Amino acid sequence: MLTTAEMLQMYRTMALITATSDRASAEVKSGSLQSAFYPVRGLEGVCGALSIAVTTEDQLVSTYRSLGDALAKGSNLRGVIAEIYGRSDGVCGGKGGPMHLHDTSVGFMTSTGIVGSGIPIAVGLGIAAQLDGAQRAVVTTFGDGATSIGAFHEGMNMAGLWKLPVVFLCQNNQWGEHTPIAEYAANTDLAGRAQAYGMRTVRVDGFDPVATAEVLRDALARARNGEGPTFVEAVTYRLTGHSGSADYSYMPADELAAALERDPVPSFRRRLLESGAASESDLAAIDAEVVAQVDDAFAFAQASAPPEQDLRYRDVFADTAALAGTGVAL
């Protein structure tokens, strides 16, 4: 059972993700942010749950829709926004940009621009953790569309066979770019499909952050204890277009309206108030802090300098005497 402090922490993270995503989309539409950006509206419950389920030792591999995952793993908001702007104060010095965020200081190993391509990376990290005998788990997030590519099936099979400490977190928002799941998948029961790989599977309501957090905690504990991988299908709905500036008039109005009724942050806010876990003044204070934090981060990013020109030559070849931890001399 989650404590009151954990639920408030989760609310803070979710509110921060919503405010940041909305602000970034607005900046894209205004032209002040000239960058690809993929909103995370609808995923806040899953990301909030992830924020209290992972430890600092756990590792995370994400997708290009990575803003919520990065904040859930503990990346600094200023650094994340500066990276989206491609500025020198970004978490990758402006070199990664929005599609290739990484912040290894908090175990956010990478995000990738190709659908599903983070899965084999996470499996590799899982093999490393298993060989090291480390008490850490690896989480990889991906959308429902990723379950139809080859790398998904190869990674799932290997993880199931070798009992790797990996949690496959499918953020099922029910859209593959502009195509609804029922029009590209013969079997939309993704958790059922994952069972074929001999691993534990769980389907959870991704709009319910408490239920999702409990499922993820259990899955991560099993991974750390050597009990193998878990596939978690968190069912949500994408509340915006595919990208920050995209039209989404093609989405059925009744479906979208029903999903908006369960918009994660306002729904969780009502739940906290009705249960007595928080007062209106408690949540208003958090909301005000979030607004100030987002304003600060965007101002910081916009004032940050572009990367130095010679950055293009860094990180291409190792320039140390040996690869750390491998004993391999260069």
Side-chain angles (χ1 to χ4, degrees):
M1 178 176 294
L2 273 61
T3 66
T4 299
E6 287 171 333
M7 288 197 287
L8 291 178
Q9 177 189 336
M10 196 156 58
Y11 176 79
R12 181 188 300 276
T13 301
M14 292 168 60
L16 183 63
I17 292 169
T18 295
T20 307
S21 181
D22 286 349
R23 175 67 177 271
S25 293
E27 298 287 349
V28 168
K29 290 173 182 173
S30 73
S32 64
L33 173 55
Q34 298 178 357
S35 168
F37 176 72
Y38 298 91
V40 291
R41 296 286 285 107
L43 301 183
E44 294 95 329
V46 184
C47 298
L50 190 60
S51 73
I52 64 166
V54 292
T55 67
T56 53
E57 289 75 24
D58 294 331
Q59 297 173 321
L60 175 64
V61 178
S62 183
T63 72
Y64 53 81
R65 202 178 298 281
S66 60
L67 171 67
D69 292 345
L71 299 182
K73 196 62 180 72
S75 282
N76 177 270
L77 183 61
R78 276 184 163 191
V80 169
I81 301 304
E83 190 60 43
I84 291 174
Y85 272 84
R87 301 299 172 85
S88 58
D89 290 309
V91 290
C92 311
K95 191 171 182 175
M99 303 283 274
H100 303 286
L101 281 172
H102 75 264
D103 184 1
T104 53
S105 69
V106 297
F108 186 77
M109 304 308 287
T110 190
S111 63
T112 64
I114 304 299
V115 171
S117 61
I119 294 170
I121 297 172
V123 169
L125 291 168
I127 294 172
Q130 189 178 71
L131 290 174
D132 290 346
Q135 292 296 305
R136 67 172 179 266
V138 181
V139 182
T140 178
T141 61
F142 48 88
D144 45 288
T147 63
S148 293
I149 74 162
F152 167 82
H153 299 281
E154 294 167 5
M156 292 282 286
N157 183 59
M158 185 176 289
L161 178 66
W162 291 348
K163 306 300 179 191
L164 299 177
V166 180
V167 175
F168 298 89
L169 175 55
C170 177
Q171 299 164 325
N172 180 358
N173 66 28
Q174 305 187 55
W175 287 89
E177 293 199 6
H178 306 100
T179 307
I181 185 171
E183 293 185 14
Y184 71 76
N187 179 1
T188 59
D189 177 6
L190 304 184
R193 287 165 59 185
Q195 286 178 348
Y197 295 103
M199 70 177 68
R200 181 170 173 267
T201 65
V202 184
R203 194 169 201 248
V204 65
D205 179 1
F207 280 128
D208 183 340
V210 175
T212 305
E214 290 171 346
V215 164
L216 288 175
R217 276 190 164 168
D218 182 53
L220 284 159
R222 290 172 59 89
R224 295 185 201 107
N225 292 334
E227 297 176 62
T230 300
F231 178 91
V232 177
E233 179 187 1
V235 182
T236 66
Y237 195 88
R238 202 181 68 207
L239 300 179
T240 65
H242 173 60
S243 65
S245 58
D247 167 69
Y248 53 107
S249 58
Y250 55 85
M251 298 170 78
D254 57 339
E255 273 190 18
L256 181 57
L260 284 168
E261 287 290 320
R262 304 194 67 207
D263 195 346
V265 172
S267 295
F268 191 41
R269 197 179 200 284
R270 288 193 297 271
R271 181 173 176 175
L272 290 171
L273 292 172
E274 289 167 2
S275 68
S279 67
E280 178 62 41
S281 61
D282 292 334
L283 300 182
I286 292 174
D287 294 342
E289 289 172 16
V290 163
V291 169
Q293 193 176 352
V294 171
D295 287 344
D296 168 76
F298 277 84
F300 173 81
Q302 290 162 356
S304 177
E308 298 173 7
Q309 289 294 315
D310 67 351
L311 183 66
R312 78 186 87 168
Y313 301 114
R314 296 182 213 159
D315 312 316
V316 177
F317 299 104
D319 57 1
T320 54
L323 292 172
T326 67
V328 177
L330 299 175

